[in-house]
Amino acid sequence: MRHLKFAPSWLRFLIIFLLTMGILFRFFNLDGKVYWHDETYSSLRISGYTINQAKQQLFNNRVIGKESFAQFQGANPEKSLNDTIMTLATEDSLHPPLYYVIARLWMEIFGNSVTAIRSLSACISLLVFPCVYWLCRELFNVSLSVPGVAIALMAISPIHLVYAQEAQEYILWLVTILLTSASLLRAMRLESQDKEELVKARQRPDLFAIWSIYAVTLAISLYTFLWSGFVAVAHGIYVISTAKFQLTETVRTYLLASLVGFLAFMPWITVVMGEFFQFLISADKTTTQSSLIPIFPFLLMQLSRIFFDINLSLDNPISYLITPIFLIFVGYSIYFICRTTNYKVWFFMSTLIVVPALPLILPSLIAGGIQSSSEPYFIPSYLGIQVTVAYLLAMQLYNGNVSRRSIWQIIIALVIICGLISSKVSSQAETWWNKGMSYDNPQVAQIINQTTRPLLISDALGNNYGNVFSLSYLLEPKVRFLLVNNQKIPKIPDGFADVFLFNPSDTWRETIEIKYKLKTDIVSSEKYYSVWKMAKPRKLHRRNISRRGAEKESK
């Protein structure tokens, strides 16, 4: 790879341009997209309040305004950082506390706005670029070509733009994956160097320090996202396989470093296990609405979204034309890296792509589908695919065949155009595929905001709780909320011209109709919920009109 050590000036200029565009897209219109269901839960955890505390103060059959939600959506003087950690430990231990601790400190400085909390993820995403540079240097031992192309691809990748603008821990998790992988490769490379060559060069690498970095970054990764455990499994398979299943000094040192990393995570593991057993013995198991997506169309769509994403759905005919192209492209990239690199390089990339994804794919094959909320769990696979593609493109730039090099330059140009178009479309959209059950909230908010004196009635069952919080960011101050717990009959006060029911069950809605002798008309029927508007029955409405006409004639 000596010919790849120095990149031509035009490639350097292109990398700088794409990196600049990627940074600008990450910080553009941060508050433009809907602040969706899962992000409101992130803000609730940061606030230090529990779900039950929020329900007691909001879902109590009283009319409130949107300002009442602010107390539970960010840092506040009533709760401390310790409350944030304790809330996660007692209610949501599957989300480790590192990101939420950082976010709490961030919001205490910059405020609780959507722009403020999402800017944290945007700033963290900038760490991806030096980290991927380090990883590529350790993998391919080249100074700029492959690392530079990898940086450019990740800068304009639509999948990374999605998580760089999310008030969740996923972009931080990507950074920790890069750090653990790069530190592991560096430690193994220094372990394998010939000691005589090191003595001649008067180099004494501090192996203890670099293995300590791996142990620390592994612990940080685990405290960011539990799925890091499967990334650690991929690392273990790689280390033991490259050692030909022998207990070498490198394997022993790796096992010791991994043990230290997992021991540092033991306090939170005990919390997770405690909550899990409490869930098993509890009679109150909350169920949420979920739908399964066919696994293979889902994987093909997510594969194409790494490079091109204009918010196409799985059932869109255009997606069936696009996804096979990217499948062939990625498949050839994996074949190329396996054919042109040594065993240590291609096997590391293969384990990073496959191992963390298998625990998701195998159960989905049995269940007949996968949940749409599983997209972030494939981040290690996205990373491995992008580095593999970057290697292919960088190598083809230096292909000796002029005609073939021209073809690959066209392919590179198309990949760049796809990324830029995707980033442009995504940056200006108010909703996106990753918003899940809150995808249609902007449309619903527009319907409610068009009325004069609206009242929104809802309960706290299922996904309603988080979606009501999400809607509070989109609705105008004139909108009032009447929230009840356990589907109690709401006490609807006078003075509201338009009354809406947000995602009521059929039984609850019919009970309200009987109670107030009104009918309900559906105004929005989405995938995850429906919205109904209360109105007088048509017969009663006609009688009122005839009475008014008779009164006018008598006068």
Side-chain angles (χ1 to χ4, degrees):
M1 297 184 187
R2 294 180 180 177
H3 60 290
L4 290 177
K5 289 193 174 182
F6 297 99
S9 57
W10 68 266
L11 180 59
R12 297 181 186 182
F13 174 79
L14 180 62
I15 293 169
I16 294 173
F17 170 75
L18 295 177
L19 178 60
T20 304
M21 294 300 296
I23 294 173
L24 292 177
F25 280 127
R26 278 160 171 75
F27 288 92
F28 178 74
N29 199 25
L30 280 173
D31 61 344
K33 287 190 179 65
V34 55
Y35 197 72
W36 74 292
H37 177 281
D38 286 13
E39 288 180 300
T40 64
Y41 269 91
S42 296
S43 294
L44 178 67
R45 301 308 182 199
I46 293 168
S47 72
Y49 284 96
T50 64
I51 295 177
N52 289 332
Q53 289 172 338
K55 286 181 179 180
Q56 289 175 3
Q57 296 194 38
L58 297 178
F59 291 78
N60 54 12
N61 209 359
R62 291 190 295 109
V63 176
I64 60 175
K66 62 179 295 181
E67 64 277 359
S68 300
F69 295 90
Q71 180 182 359
F72 307 97
Q73 291 292 284
N76 60 84
E78 288 80 15
K79 298 289 185 177
S80 64
L81 182 62
N82 183 61
D83 293 313
T84 298
I85 299 174
M86 292 304 298
T87 299
L88 288 164
T90 56
E91 285 193 344
D92 199 8
S93 62
L94 293 180
H95 290 271
L98 180 59
Y99 167 79
Y100 299 91
V101 170
I102 297 173
R104 169 85 189 201
L105 299 175
W106 182 273
M107 296 180 81
E108 287 179 352
I109 299 173
F110 298 102
N112 296 334
S113 66
V114 174
T115 301
I117 181 62
R118 283 178 173 171
S119 65
L120 172 61
S121 296
C123 290
I124 293 174
S125 71
L126 302 183
L127 299 176
V128 170
F129 305 127
C131 292
V132 76
Y133 176 84
W134 184 22
L135 177 63
C136 291
R137 282 296 304 270
E138 296 298 333
L139 274 172
F140 306 109
N141 194 26
V142 291
S143 58
L144 183 61
S145 296
V146 178
V149 174
I151 289 172
L153 288 179
M154 299 186 78
I156 59 173
S157 172
I159 200 76
H160 289 301
L161 180 60
V162 164
Y163 298 119
Q165 293 187 329
E166 278 274 302
Q168 297 189 85
E169 64 267 35
Y170 302 124
I171 198 69
L172 177 61
W173 183 41
L174 173 61
V175 172
T176 63
I177 294 171
L178 287 165
L179 287 174
T180 54
S181 300
S183 59
L184 173 67
L185 291 173
R186 179 168 179 80
M188 293 183 64
R189 179 171 61 83
L190 294 178
E191 285 272 14
S192 62
Q193 285 182 354
D194 190 274
K195 294 183 179 180
E196 294 182 0
E197 293 181 0
L198 294 176
V199 172
K200 291 180 181 179
R202 296 181 180 181
Q203 295 178 354
R204 294 181 179 178
D206 193 347
L207 292 175
F208 176 79
I210 194 65
W211 279 113
S212 298
I213 292 174
Y214 176 75
V216 171
T217 54
L218 176 60
I220 291 174
S221 186
L222 289 168
Y223 273 106
T224 302
F225 199 56
L226 286 180
W227 212 254
S228 301
F230 292 104
V231 178
V233 171
H235 289 168
I237 293 174
Y238 171 74
V239 173
I240 295 173
S241 299
T242 52
K244 298 179 181 179
F245 300 95
Q246 297 179 358
L247 193 62
T248 62
E249 183 178 353
T250 301
V251 174
R252 288 196 298 268
T253 310
Y254 162 76
L255 293 175
L256 178 61
S258 299
L259 179 62
V260 171
F262 276 97
L263 286 177
F265 187 60
M266 277 301 297
W268 199 259
I269 292 179
T270 57
V271 172
V272 174
M273 295 302 296
E275 185 178 351
F276 175 72
F277 286 116
Q278 185 178 1
F279 172 80
L280 290 180
I281 64 177
S282 174
D284 182 19
K285 298 179 175 61
T286 303
T287 57
T288 57
Q289 300 171 6
S290 61
S291 59
L292 296 180
I293 302 174
I295 180 64
F296 291 112
F298 170 84
L299 293 177
L300 289 175
M301 179 59 74
Q302 290 303 112
L303 186 69
S304 64
R305 283 171 175 166
I306 299 175
F307 308 99
F308 182 67
D309 180 16
I310 55 174
N311 201 28
L312 297 175
S313 61
L314 286 175
D315 54 356
N316 193 308
I318 300 177
S319 63
Y320 290 98
L321 299 176
I322 296 175
T323 52
I325 297 175
F326 287 102
L327 177 63
I328 296 172
F329 180 51
V330 171
Y332 180 75
S333 300
I334 296 173
Y335 164 77
F336 185 82
I337 198 172
C338 292
R339 189 173 62 88
T340 58
T341 61
N342 61 51
Y343 171 78
K344 292 184 177 181
V345 174
W346 69 258
F347 189 69
F348 180 84
M349 300 309 303
S350 300
T351 54
L352 186 62
I353 294 172
V354 175
V355 174
L358 280 180
L360 294 168
I361 296 175
L362 295 180
S364 300
L365 292 174
I366 300 173
I370 188 170
Q371 292 187 4
S372 59
S373 58
S374 303
E375 302 117 354
Y377 293 78
F378 289 94
I379 283 179
S381 301
Y382 302 152
L383 171 62
I385 289 171
Q386 285 179 307
V387 173
T388 301
V389 170
Y391 172 77
L392 169 67
L393 297 180
M395 289 292 290
Q396 297 301 335
L397 285 174
Y398 295 90
N399 196 298
N401 191 319
V402 177
S403 60
R404 187 174 179 181
R405 188 165 65 241
S406 300
I407 294 173
W408 278 102
Q409 288 175 352
I410 295 173
I411 294 175
I412 293 172
L414 291 175
V415 172
I416 293 173
I417 292 172
C418 287
L420 291 175
I421 291 175
S422 302
S423 300
K424 174 69 173 178
V425 174
S426 177
S427 63
Q428 295 181 339
E430 63 178 355
T431 189
W432 210 247
W433 56 264
N434 66 305
K435 301 305 178 184
M437 62 193 68
S438 302
Y439 181 88
D440 298 297
N441 282 8
Q443 180 182 347
V444 172
Q446 184 179 7
I447 294 173
I448 299 175
N449 286 333
Q450 288 175 350
T451 58
T452 54
R453 296 189 304 276
L455 176 68
L456 181 65
I457 301 175
S458 183
D459 59 8
L461 295 182
N463 298 323
N464 293 357
Y465 172 84
N467 261 333
V468 168
F469 269 83
S470 176
L471 278 172
S472 69
Y473 286 90
L474 300 172
L475 295 174
E476 297 177 359
K478 66 180 179 181
V479 181
R480 291 292 181 264
F481 299 82
L482 180 55
L483 308 176
V484 300
N485 201 5
N486 297 325
Q487 293 192 341
K488 294 181 179 179
I489 303 302
K491 299 178 182 179
I492 303 176
D494 297 329
F496 292 100
D498 302 279
V499 180
F500 297 91
L501 297 178
F502 183 81
N503 199 33
S505 65
D506 292 337
T507 303
W508 189 47
R509 179 175 54 83
E510 291 170 359
T511 305
I512 295 174
E513 287 180 345
I514 296 172
K515 167 73 174 179
Y516 291 97
K517 298 179 180 178
L518 299 173
K519 66 182 296 291
T520 54
D521 298 324
I522 190 166
V523 295
S524 179
S525 179
E526 313 302 341
K527 181 178 180 181
Y528 293 98
Y529 62 82
S530 60
V531 180
W532 299 73
K533 185 176 181 181
M534 298 182 66
K536 293 182 179 181
R538 294 180 181 178
K539 292 182 180 180
L540 181 61
H541 185 62
R542 289 174 182 173
R543 290 177 184 176
N544 290 337
I545 293 176
S546 61
R547 286 179 182 177
R548 291 175 185 174
E551 289 175 358
K552 289 182 180 180
E553 290 179 0
S554 62
K555 292 181 180 178

